[in-house]
Amino acid sequence: MNNCVFYQHPNLMRALDMHTTVMDIMVNVLGSSAEAGKQVSTSEVQFPKIVAVCSRFLGYFCRISRVNQKAMFEHLSFLLDHSTFGLDTPSMRGCTPLDVAAASLIDNNELSLQIKETHVELVIKYLRACGLQSSPTLLARKYPDIGWDPLEGERYLDFLKQVVFVSGESVEENANLVVRHLIRKPECLGPALRGEGGQGLLSAMKEAMEISKDPSRDTANADAKRKIYQEDEDEEEEIHLGYCILSFYSSLIDLLGRCAPEATLILQSKSEALRIRSILQSLVPLEDLVGVISLPFDLPRVEPITETVIQPMMNSCFAPEHKAAMLLFLDRVYGIEDVDFLLKILEDGFLNDIRAAAQLDTQQLHGTDMALALNRYVCSSILPIITKHVHLLAQAEHRDQLIDSALHAIYRLSQGRAMTKAQKDFISDCLCAIAGVIKPILMHNLLRKLTFDVPTLSQHCIVPIRMLTLHFERSWQYYCCPDGWEDNGVASDEERHLTMRLFWGLFDALSNKKFDETMVSRALPCLCAIGNALPPDYAVPSLVDDGQRESQLDKNGNYDPKPVNTIDQVRDYYKKY
C-alpha cells in the first residue's frame, strides 16, 4: 500500500500479476476466517486487518482502467460470497470485498451486462437477511434491537446501484431484474415499504430523525462502544441507528430511481418500461417524496456569547444527501410536467434549502460540513431540476413574488465563499435559464440590486454579467421599442432608467479598472447588449453621435436598436486607458 513506485506505474501492477497475488492473500485469510466462524459466534470473528488492506489496494487497482476492472471481474463470485465481511464497520467503507466487487463495475457498461442473475440473487439474499434481523455484531455491543439491519443493508443497495446505472444511464436488463427480485422479496425494502403494515417513506424518515435525537434509541451505552481497526491505532467508533435508517431508505430510493426506465422508452410506450414505472410509483407515493423534500435540516449556528460554532454531526443527522435521492427518484419516476407542482416543491422545499445554503455563507459557518453538503445538494440536485423544467416557469407569472424570491436566493448563492467553479456554473446556468423564459418585468427587482453589484467588477460578477448579457440580448425590444415586445408589454421609465444606470455603471467601472483581459472579454458583450437595448432618448452620447443615431432608423422611421460598431468603439475608448 505504501509503495509509491507501483502507484505511479499502474499498468506495471497488472503486468506483474500483483492483483492475483493480493487476491490469493485475501482468499486464504477469508477462508481461515470462515473456518473460525464455524467454531465461535459470528460477532466474535474480527474483520481481518489484512483484508481491509487488500481490498483498498484492489479497489484502487480497479479504478485505474477498464482492463484492470475486467481482470478483477473474474473474481466477482468469490467477492460476493464473502461480501458480509466488514459491512458493520462504517469506517471500513471502501475497504471490503463488496467494495472491490462494486469497483470492478463502476461506469463499465460491458461488464455490467455480464452480471448474471445468480449474482443478483445472492445480493438480494443478503439484503433480505438484513431486513429480517438486527446485526448480531451491534446486538453484542448492546445497541438497541430495532428488528432489522439498515447498516449492512445500505451497503448492498450501494452495490446494486453500480449494477443498474452506468455513466448516467440505466442498464435496462439489470434494472428490470433488480426490480423483479426486490418486489418478490419485500423484506429487502425495509419495514416502511413492505406493503401492508408498512408506515410509508415519510413516516419512516420522520421516525428515524426522532431516533437520531434520542441517544437511548440511537446508540449503545457509553461503556459499550465497540472498537474497530483504523490505520494506525484502535479507536472507538460510535454508530447512530437513526442515521443508518435515514441512509438505508435514501439509498433504496436512489436505487429505485436509477432502475426507472429512460424517458425515451416511456415516450415510445414500451410495455415493459411502463410496467416498471408503475411498480416504482406504487412503492413510493408522490406525497411522501414531497414531504421528505420539504423536511428542514438541523443547521449549524454560532453561540452568541462565546461565539462557538455549534454544528450537527453529519454521521448522525438528516443530511442533504438523503434529499438528493428523493429528487432523483422524483425526476426519473414521476417527472415534473405541471407548473403548479413545480411551484409547490419550489416553495415548500427548494427555496428553503437555497436560502439555508445562503444563510450559512458567513465567515464562521461557510466551511462547516453542513454548509458544504448543502452547497453540493443545491447545485447538483435542485438547480439542475429547475433548469431542466424551467420552461414551465413561463406559465408562472401569477406567482411573481415566488419567482422573484427564487431569483434573489439563487443570485445570493452565487456569491458564496465556498462555491467551487463547477457549482457556480450550475448557478449561472439556472439563473440564465430562468431569465430566458420569464417576462422581463419579473427581473426588475433583481436588476435594481445588480446596478450596485455589477459595477464593482469583483470575482462574484461573472455570473450576473453572463445573465445580464443573455437577458438584454433576448428582451431588447421590451426596453427600446415604443410598442414594447409582443405579449411582454413595454418597459416603464424606471426600468429604462435602471438599464441606463447599468450601462454607465459597467462602462465607468471598465474605464477605471486596471486592464484584466478575462473580465473585459466577459463584460464587453454585456455592455454592448445593454447599450443595444437603450431607446433613442437614452442614447449614449460618447458612443453614438447624431449621424449614427439617424443610421439606426429604418426606412419607415422606426428605431433599429442594432448597434453600429458599438463594441469596436467601446474597445477603442477602453484602449485609451
Side-chain angles (χ1 to χ4, degrees):
M1 287 302 296
N2 298 324
N3 193 326
C4 296
V5 174
F6 289 116
Y7 275 83
Q8 293 168 2
H9 301 277
N11 292 329
L12 187 58
M13 297 180 184
R14 189 177 66 256
L16 295 177
D17 216 24
M18 289 179 63
H19 61 287
T20 302
T21 303
V22 176
M23 271 301 301
D24 289 342
I25 295 173
M26 192 155 66
V27 167
N28 290 330
V29 174
L30 290 176
S32 62
S33 297
E35 290 298 322
K38 295 178 182 178
Q39 302 172 7
V40 297
S41 64
T42 307
S43 61
E44 295 173 356
V45 179
Q46 297 294 319
F47 179 51
K49 172 181 176 180
I50 188 64
V51 172
V53 178
C54 289
S55 298
R56 190 181 301 120
F57 172 86
L58 292 172
Y60 171 79
F61 177 80
C62 288
R63 287 189 291 271
I64 294 172
S65 70
R66 292 177 178 269
V67 179
N68 289 4
Q69 284 183 310
K70 189 171 183 179
M72 281 307 303
F73 186 79
E74 299 174 0
H75 303 282
L76 183 64
S77 295
F78 174 83
L79 294 170
L80 293 180
D81 286 337
H82 296 82
S83 61
T84 56
F85 282 89
L87 299 186
D88 60 349
T89 309
S91 61
M92 287 294 104
R93 187 179 290 269
C95 304
T96 69
L98 185 62
D99 293 311
V100 179
S104 69
L105 296 169
I106 292 178
D107 291 336
N108 194 319
N109 194 66
E110 178 186 353
L111 295 182
S112 296
L113 290 173
Q114 294 182 32
I115 287 287
K116 299 178 181 177
E117 186 168 2
T118 54
H119 295 144
V120 174
E121 287 176 344
L122 182 59
V123 176
I124 293 294
K125 173 186 172 184
Y126 292 140
L127 183 57
R128 180 174 182 270
C130 293
L132 294 174
Q133 60 183 10
S134 296
S135 167
T137 306
L138 296 187
L139 291 180
R141 288 165 174 79
K142 303 191 183 305
Y143 277 81
D145 185 359
I146 60 175
W148 63 299
D149 184 6
L151 177 61
E152 297 184 30
E154 180 207 348
R155 303 297 301 280
Y156 291 113
L157 293 172
D158 287 341
F159 171 79
L160 290 174
K161 291 178 194 177
Q162 307 301 333
V163 173
V164 304
F165 206 70
V166 177
S167 302
E169 292 186 355
S170 176
V171 181
E172 185 181 359
E173 297 86 345
N174 293 351
N176 294 348
L177 180 64
V178 168
V179 170
R180 285 201 305 270
H181 279 284
L182 286 176
I183 61 177
R184 289 172 185 169
K185 302 288 190 298
E187 298 83 4
C188 298
L189 304 176
L193 302 182
R194 289 180 185 173
E196 296 183 5
Q199 71 268 44
L201 176 66
L202 180 58
S203 296
M205 297 293 279
K206 287 182 176 179
E207 182 183 2
M209 293 173 68
E210 293 299 322
I211 292 175
S212 66
K213 297 174 184 178
D214 184 355
S216 65
R217 302 170 63 194
D218 191 44
T219 63
N221 297 327
D223 57 349
K225 294 180 181 178
R226 63 202 187 107
K227 292 186 176 181
I228 53 99
Y229 166 77
Q230 295 198 346
E231 231 173 291
D232 297 320
E233 59 183 352
D234 285 346
E235 293 184 2
E236 292 184 345
E237 179 180 18
E238 189 173 41
I239 294 176
H240 299 272
L241 294 179
Y243 178 82
C244 291
I245 296 173
L246 290 168
S247 296
F248 174 88
Y249 283 116
S250 65
S251 291
L252 175 62
I253 299 303
D254 190 272
L255 169 63
L256 295 175
R258 294 174 193 272
C259 288
E262 297 298 329
T264 53
L265 298 177
I266 298 296
L267 291 175
Q268 295 171 12
S269 299
K270 298 287 186 179
S271 58
E272 183 66 10
L274 295 174
R275 189 179 73 86
I276 294 296
R277 188 180 67 169
S278 297
I279 291 173
L280 295 176
Q281 290 178 349
S282 68
L283 291 174
V284 187
L286 185 60
E287 295 76 14
D288 281 11
L289 287 173
V290 175
V292 176
I293 292 170
S294 304
L295 292 174
F297 296 114
D298 185 10
L299 300 179
R301 66 185 190 279
V302 178
E303 171 58 43
I305 299 177
T306 62
E307 294 191 355
T308 303
V309 175
I310 303 174
Q311 56 178 318
M313 292 189 299
M314 296 300 291
N315 66 342
S316 66
C317 67
F318 182 53
E321 63 184 27
H322 299 141
K323 279 193 183 184
M326 310 300 157
L327 274 187
L328 184 141
F329 186 95
L330 174 65
D331 186 40
R332 289 182 58 86
V333 176
Y334 283 99
I336 301 176
E337 301 175 356
D338 178 66
V339 61
D340 292 330
F341 178 66
L342 176 60
L343 293 174
K344 175 178 174 56
I345 58 176
L346 176 63
E347 184 175 24
D348 295 345
F350 293 173
L351 192 53
N352 292 332
D353 291 335
I354 295 172
R355 285 171 172 166
Q359 174 188 331
L360 296 180
D361 181 41
T362 66
Q363 186 63 39
Q364 293 173 290
L365 298 177
H366 76 276
T368 59
D369 291 339
M370 178 61 80
L372 297 176
L374 258 177
N375 289 345
R376 290 192 296 271
Y377 165 62
V378 169
C379 293
S380 61
S381 295
I382 290 181
L383 298 186
I385 288 284
I386 297 175
T387 304
K388 179 179 178 180
H389 303 286
V390 74
H391 62 279
L392 295 175
L393 295 182
Q395 312 165 27
E397 57 186 75
H398 58 292
R399 298 298 303 276
D400 55 341
Q401 291 185 348
L402 178 60
I403 301 298
D404 183 65
S405 298
L407 280 170
H408 275 80
I410 298 172
Y411 169 65
R412 183 184 172 193
L413 202 64
S414 70
Q415 301 175 305
R417 295 173 174 82
M419 287 294 171
T420 65
K421 182 183 181 303
Q423 290 170 343
K424 286 192 175 184
D425 288 342
F426 281 117
I427 296 172
S428 178
D429 290 343
C430 186
L431 282 173
C432 291
I434 295 175
V437 298
I438 61 176
K439 289 190 173 184
I441 192 173
L442 297 181
M443 291 285 293
H444 181 62
N445 290 333
L446 184 59
L447 290 180
R448 188 183 290 120
K449 179 173 178 56
L450 293 181
T451 57
F452 296 97
D453 292 354
V454 170
T456 64
L457 291 181
S458 67
Q459 60 175 339
H460 300 304
C461 289
I462 294 176
V463 172
I465 281 176
R466 181 189 172 204
M467 179 184 64
L468 286 174
T469 304
L470 296 177
H471 170 67
F472 283 104
E473 285 178 348
R474 168 181 176 255
S475 53
W476 57 267
Q477 293 172 283
Y478 174 77
Y479 293 97
C480 73
C481 294
D483 297 331
W485 179 26
E486 299 176 352
D487 296 336
N488 294 283
V490 184
S492 64
D493 289 339
E494 183 183 359
E495 288 176 292
R496 289 172 173 169
H497 182 66
L498 282 176
T499 306
M500 186 179 69
R501 285 179 57 191
L502 269 171
F503 180 90
W504 279 111
L506 185 56
F507 186 87
D508 291 341
L510 281 171
S511 301
N512 296 320
K513 185 179 176 63
K514 184 178 179 181
F515 183 78
D516 181 343
E517 184 176 356
T518 302
M519 184 59 72
V520 170
S521 65
R522 294 178 183 275
L524 278 179
C526 180
L527 189 64
C528 292
I530 300 174
N532 193 31
L534 287 171
D537 51 338
Y538 286 85
V540 185
S542 63
L543 294 180
V544 185
D545 59 29
D546 291 338
Q548 291 172 335
R549 198 176 305 172
E550 290 177 3
S551 68
Q552 290 180 292
L553 299 177
D554 60 21
K555 61 182 181 180
N556 297 321
N558 296 322
Y559 179 67
D560 182 359
K562 293 182 180 178
V564 181
N565 298 323
T566 303
I567 191 166
D568 294 330
Q569 294 174 42
V570 174
R571 188 178 290 109
D572 291 340
Y573 179 89
Y574 191 79
K575 284 180 179 177
K576 296 178 184 178
Y577 295 85

